Amino acid sequence: MSKSHTDIDFAAGIDPALTQKISSFKELNGRLLNLSQTISHNLSAYTANITMLVDLIDLDGNPKSNKAALMHLRTISDDLNQTIAHLSQIIYVQSHTDIEKEMLLLKAHVGKIGNIVNGYGNENKLLFVNKVPDDAMVYFNVGYLESILLNFSTNAIKYSHPDRFPRIAFDFFTQDGQQVLTITDNGLGIDLERHGQDLFGLYKTFHHHKEATGFGLYLTKYQIESMNARVTVESKVGQGTTFKIFFAH
């Protein structure tokens, strides 16, 4: 059935900016729905464990076994607090669609992160290489940029290869008119055939490490995409990983 003149006129009269905003809110609602399901799933696991331990403490009058149960309860409580903090940060980021951007001197911000992680990774003999040109400027949110750079840098230290000192290098160039920042490390690498689909998933981890949470890459990807940029990854197990950030035109 063909559209009436009224339908055509109405569609033609819609403000493109309004259409874009509606589309953005639909996407945001979808992300928040997925997030609410994740929160429900994660928190239910914690509450079930807490209930079980409290029941054990109530039923068992043995001080020694109660002490062990209380220690487990403390661990679960600490993990729950961390999870709530992570989820609160995600909700904050995802619910703010209008993030302030400004022109930033990229090399200076990479250098700032270098000063932070050089102290953090001093015991690991970290080699931090800043090859970003002096005049490279990007249009980005300053808080997001530093969070992204710091997360990639600390991951390079956290997942460094045991047989060599960690190295992380930042480079910047223009490709087909688009600004590209590369972050390359010489760490453990990631098996992308096995984990590529889950790489930026919430609470997805790929290495056995006591500090691995599966939160950092998820948040980093969202921060990048909220700036209308995108991120790709290349990696070889045992050799290292390169992340590429393609900034918006």
Side-chain angles (χ1 to χ4, degrees):
M1 182 182 293
S2 61
K3 291 184 178 181
S4 69
H5 288 296
T6 303
D7 291 335
I8 294 172
D9 291 340
F10 177 76
I14 295 178
D15 183 353
L18 177 60
T19 302
Q20 178 63 37
K21 185 160 284 191
I22 292 171
S23 177
S24 296
F25 277 119
K26 279 185 177 180
E27 183 183 349
L28 175 62
N29 286 338
R31 287 199 303 267
L32 291 175
L33 177 59
N34 289 335
L35 180 60
S36 69
Q37 292 170 343
T38 301
I39 292 173
S40 176
H41 177 269
N42 289 342
L43 296 187
S44 64
Y46 285 113
T47 55
N49 283 328
I50 289 171
T51 300
M52 179 187 69
L53 287 170
V54 170
D55 287 344
L56 284 174
I57 291 169
D58 282 343
L59 292 172
D60 191 346
N62 188 324
K64 187 173 289 186
S65 57
N66 276 355
K67 185 177 180 180
L70 284 169
M71 289 177 63
H72 286 304
L73 187 60
R74 167 62 66 184
T75 300
I76 292 171
S77 175
D78 290 343
D79 289 345
L80 176 58
N81 284 335
Q82 184 183 56
T83 297
I84 290 173
H86 286 168
L87 294 173
S88 296
Q89 190 174 358
I90 293 170
I91 290 171
Y92 175 83
V93 170
Q94 292 200 357
S95 60
H96 285 69
T97 55
D98 297 322
I99 305 297
E100 182 180 347
K101 302 179 190 178
E102 57 186 300
M103 294 303 299
L104 302 172
L105 192 61
L106 184 58
K107 187 180 185 72
H109 290 280
V110 173
K112 179 180 177 180
I113 299 304
N115 291 334
I116 295 171
V117 298
N118 269 319
Y120 173 80
N122 186 50
E123 62 187 23
N124 299 305
K125 308 291 186 185
L126 171 69
L127 178 60
F128 188 95
V129 181
N130 185 354
K131 298 167 65 178
V132 175
D134 293 340
D135 60 348
M137 303 286 292
V138 294
Y139 189 55
F140 218 79
N141 175 269
V142 63
Y144 281 12
L145 180 65
E146 292 186 356
S147 173
I148 292 161
L149 299 176
L150 183 60
N151 187 67
F152 283 135
S153 298
T154 53
N155 275 356
I157 299 170
K158 188 186 301 181
Y159 304 114
S160 60
H161 198 285
D163 297 334
R164 54 183 176 262
F165 295 132
R167 178 184 188 274
I168 180 168
F170 291 80
D171 203 354
F172 182 87
F173 54 89
T174 300
Q175 178 179 306
D176 298 326
Q178 189 168 23
Q179 296 174 312
V180 183
L181 174 68
T182 62
I183 306 110
T184 302
D185 67 55
N186 65 343
L188 294 172
I190 304 164
D191 186 343
L192 294 179
E193 288 189 8
R194 291 182 59 192
H195 304 302
Q197 295 291 333
D198 296 325
L199 183 60
F200 294 100
L202 184 59
Y203 298 128
K204 301 293 184 180
T205 58
F206 317 105
H207 299 295
H208 298 293
H209 193 286
K210 63 181 180 179
E211 296 180 11
T213 63
F215 172 75
L217 284 181
Y218 174 89
L219 183 62
T220 294
K221 183 174 185 286
Y222 181 80
Q223 289 173 326
I224 291 170
E225 292 181 346
S226 70
M227 296 287 101
N228 295 318
R230 64 186 177 91
V231 60
T232 64
V233 59
E234 300 167 6
S235 189
K236 289 186 178 180
V237 175
Q239 296 185 32
T241 302
T242 295
F243 290 95
K244 290 184 179 181
I245 301 174
F246 294 82
F247 292 91
H249 286 287

